[in-house]
Amino acid sequence: RTLLLVWPSSPEDDTIGNRTWDAACLDYYTGETVIYIGEWQGRQNVVGSGVTSSQQFQDRIQMEFCVEQRIAIPQWPLQGDELTIWRRRDNS
């Protein structure tokens, strides 16, 4: 099974407990693979880079998962989104 998140834009006040909803998705997901389609903070020199997900989500997925693949996709003007495939880190 794979969790697919496409532009999970999450205003900081749209929370579940103390997490933004996109980061909270990772609380409930027990699988190994996440596909994220959106911008990545600081990844590209594009106006608005990183606005398609919360900072909490981006921090958390980097801590708990490893990016396996980045795939260029068609983009709207002034957007820097891409498809990324992540695998859960083995913390054993």
Side-chain angles (χ1 to χ4, degrees):
R1 297 189 180 181
T2 300
L3 174 63
L4 172 64
L5 294 169
V6 181
W7 276 44
S9 183
S10 181
E12 296 303 321
D13 62 349
D14 185 12
T15 61
I16 298 171
N18 64 347
R19 294 236 187 253
T20 55
W21 79 267
D22 52 359
C25 287
L26 299 176
D27 289 338
Y28 300 102
Y29 179 62
T30 59
E32 298 299 313
T33 306
V34 174
I35 295 175
Y36 167 68
I37 299 174
E39 296 177 314
W40 200 256
Q41 184 70 29
R43 174 85 173 134
Q44 295 185 12
N45 190 15
V46 176
V47 175
S49 181
V51 298
T52 61
S53 64
S54 71
Q55 189 63 54
Q56 276 187 5
F57 170 79
Q58 291 194 14
D59 291 345
R60 182 137 176 227
I61 199 166
Q62 287 182 96
M63 288 186 334
E64 297 178 18
F65 293 79
C66 294
V67 68
E68 281 197 339
Q69 194 170 6
R70 294 184 181 278
I71 301 169
I73 59 174
Q75 300 172 346
W76 291 103
L78 301 177
Q79 298 297 316
D81 39 339
E82 63 185 343
L83 185 153
T84 52
I85 301 172
W86 299 79
R87 297 268 187 243
R88 191 175 297 277
R89 293 180 188 273
D90 181 17
N91 292 325
S92 50

